[in-house]
Amino acid sequence: MLVVDILTCYAVAGIGAVVGLGLMSFIQTDQPRLLQTLNIYRWAFASVSVMSIILFAPHEQVPALTKALIGFAGMGVCLMAWAFRQLNGRRTHPYLGAGITLVVGVLLWAAALLPEADYVRCVAVIFAVVSVAMAVDQGWLIVHNVRGHVSELSLMVVALAFALHWLVVVYHAFTVPGPYPPDWLHGPEWLRPVSGIGVALLPLAVAALAFSTINARLSQQLRARALSDDLTGALSRRGLRELGERMLALQQYQSSQIAVLMMDLDHFKAVNDRYGHLIGDDVLRHVTQVIRDRLRDDALLARYGGEEFTVLLPVKSAQEAYGVAERLRKAVEMNPCETKVGPIRITISIGVSFHSPTTSLEEDLAKADGRLYAAKNNGRNRVEFAEV
């Protein structure tokens, strides 16, 4: 049987986390969402890196020191789970994410005051709850994310393996009494080598996946900027055609469908006539930001011309497309544009069509444009759908 020293694996995990911190420092971006994700990863790796201290601990202090380090490891795992969500487009309020992380750390440190048997069980239960929640959350993201990138699926596999491991450890902790090892990982003998290797490799594996995923996103964004509209930062019409055709080509290999949203600002000419084109430009930039903030990363947002915008979005159903369109319409209506002449309230009309294998992008856009004019003729500030 392979013999693996768990304490050494803890130290290797700490060193791997230091490497992860280094990898995160190589990523440069001005995107607020990615910056927040990077900061969470940095805190996660910083928490786990503390485990490298075990290399320098006197032998007699190892059990007590390991209890303290396990608390930092638990916080690191929580932060990784939080970063997973951010990286996949799901926002967690900073207070909630930080609160859960601190609660896990405090619980693990408080459990260190309990008798050995109770401590081992508490550690197993806490890590099992965290890992299962992470696996369920990551699975939910994958199921509801039509992209299914390899990196995201890899994160899903890591989360599932981590959860299964801790469920086995929980069962062992409640059914098999001590003696308990100084590393406090009280699991079956056949599982201990796997546990040790997994602990050692986890930070480095997460860092590599996060590094590749974030760099891939940044590359996509740089390409999008080259095809973007100077005023709003959304895609230009040329960018929409180039990236839109690529999206439609990839869609044939997926179970999703592409919703095409054509949006037009209501009475925008009156804004320009009353306040001038500079204020009108502010309104266009504001509306672009409101819409962009409420779209997933896999959506394409383009300024189609003047005050008209287009969104191409992979969806699983017409109901999902309707929900997105209504959410965008309400967001624009509920967020007036703050300008030097005061707040200006804007509404938008939206026409929606769906791509089919027998139609081209131009035909999809024309159909959505027809529904947009129907929305305007029916009173504006509404969503009109073409037949699926």
Side-chain angles (χ1 to χ4, degrees):
M1 177 182 295
L2 177 65
V3 177
V4 175
D5 181 35
I6 304 296
L7 292 173
T8 301
C9 291
Y10 287 168
V12 172
I15 295 170
V18 174
V19 175
L21 275 172
L23 285 176
M24 295 302 104
S25 68
F26 284 117
I27 301 176
Q28 302 296 322
T29 177
D30 58 357
Q31 298 294 316
R33 189 181 300 180
L34 282 181
L35 278 174
Q36 185 180 20
T37 302
L38 278 173
N39 286 331
I40 298 170
Y41 271 121
R42 287 173 183 140
W43 279 107
F45 293 133
S47 297
V48 178
S49 67
V50 177
M51 299 191 76
S52 59
I53 296 174
I54 206 167
L55 286 173
F56 311 101
H59 181 72
E60 64 277 5
Q61 295 180 10
V62 165
L65 177 62
T66 302
K67 287 184 177 181
L69 297 179
I70 287 173
F72 283 106
M75 295 174 67
V77 171
C78 285
L79 288 166
M80 288 180 191
W82 181 8
F84 285 169
R85 287 184 57 83
Q86 297 291 122
L87 193 56
N88 284 287
R90 293 295 193 272
R91 298 182 181 182
T92 301
H93 195 284
Y95 289 142
L96 177 60
I100 293 174
T101 299
L102 289 173
V103 166
V104 168
V106 169
L107 287 176
L108 288 169
W109 288 321
L113 304 175
L114 300 173
E116 289 186 350
D118 293 332
Y119 174 68
V120 166
R121 290 168 185 164
C122 284
V123 169
V125 169
I126 291 171
F127 273 96
V129 170
V130 171
S131 61
V132 169
M134 183 168 59
V136 170
D137 186 57
Q138 190 68 15
W140 181 266
L141 291 174
I142 294 296
V143 169
H144 289 79
N145 189 337
V146 297
R147 288 175 296 175
H149 286 168
V150 173
S151 59
E152 295 164 347
L153 295 175
S154 299
L155 291 176
M156 177 64 189
V157 171
V158 171
L160 279 175
F162 194 61
L164 289 172
H165 166 270
W166 280 105
L167 289 175
V168 174
V169 173
V170 166
Y171 176 79
H172 189 81
F174 279 91
T175 56
V176 179
Y180 302 105
D183 52 61
W184 303 112
L185 187 56
H186 183 55
E189 284 301 318
W190 60 267
L191 185 61
R192 283 178 62 80
V194 177
S195 302
I197 294 172
V199 168
L201 296 180
L202 180 64
L204 198 55
V206 170
L209 287 170
F211 184 80
S212 63
T213 302
I214 293 174
N215 273 322
R217 300 276 175 85
L218 290 175
S219 296
Q220 292 173 355
Q221 290 173 5
L222 286 174
R223 177 60 179 161
R225 285 182 180 180
L227 300 170
S228 63
D229 169 63
D230 291 337
L231 175 64
T232 63
L235 288 172
S236 62
R237 185 181 292 199
R238 171 178 168 241
L240 173 67
R241 286 195 168 88
E242 182 172 327
L243 298 184
E245 292 289 355
R246 188 181 307 170
M247 176 184 285
L248 296 185
L250 292 174
Q251 188 266 341
Q252 61 182 313
Y253 302 107
Q254 301 176 354
S255 60
S256 60
Q257 57 185 149
I258 304 296
V260 181
L261 282 64
M262 292 290 285
M263 301 174 287
D264 191 82
L265 277 63
D266 297 326
H267 304 297
F268 183 70
K269 184 177 183 300
V271 173
N272 278 334
D273 291 344
R274 181 175 180 181
Y275 302 108
H277 288 280
L278 292 179
I279 297 297
D281 289 348
D282 289 339
V283 171
L284 289 173
R285 283 190 287 264
H286 167 77
V287 171
T288 302
Q289 192 60 48
V290 169
I291 294 172
R292 180 184 286 121
D293 286 345
R294 287 156 181 83
L295 290 174
R296 299 196 308 262
D297 290 341
D298 58 349
L300 297 181
L301 170 63
R303 184 184 179 197
Y304 197 70
E307 67 271 23
E308 195 168 22
F309 294 85
T310 303
V311 170
L312 266 59
L313 177 69
V315 294
K316 288 186 174 295
S317 65
Q319 289 76 13
E320 182 183 353
Y322 178 78
V324 171
E326 273 295 314
R327 185 167 68 248
L328 296 178
R329 184 192 66 77
K330 291 178 181 177
V332 172
E333 182 179 20
M334 299 301 294
N335 289 275
C337 176
E338 298 294 336
T339 70
K340 62 183 180 182
V341 298
I344 298 177
R345 181 176 177 270
I346 298 294
T347 63
I348 58 173
S349 300
I350 305 177
V352 183
S353 68
F354 297 91
H355 174 70
S356 70
T358 60
T359 59
S360 66
L361 177 59
E362 291 300 324
E363 291 171 328
D364 298 331
L365 292 169
K367 188 183 298 184
D369 201 44
R371 301 319 303 161
L372 169 62
Y373 280 98
K376 285 188 168 293
N377 291 334
N378 289 333
R380 294 183 169 84
N381 191 24
R382 60 185 288 120
V383 177
E384 290 284 345
F385 268 74
E387 295 183 4
V388 181

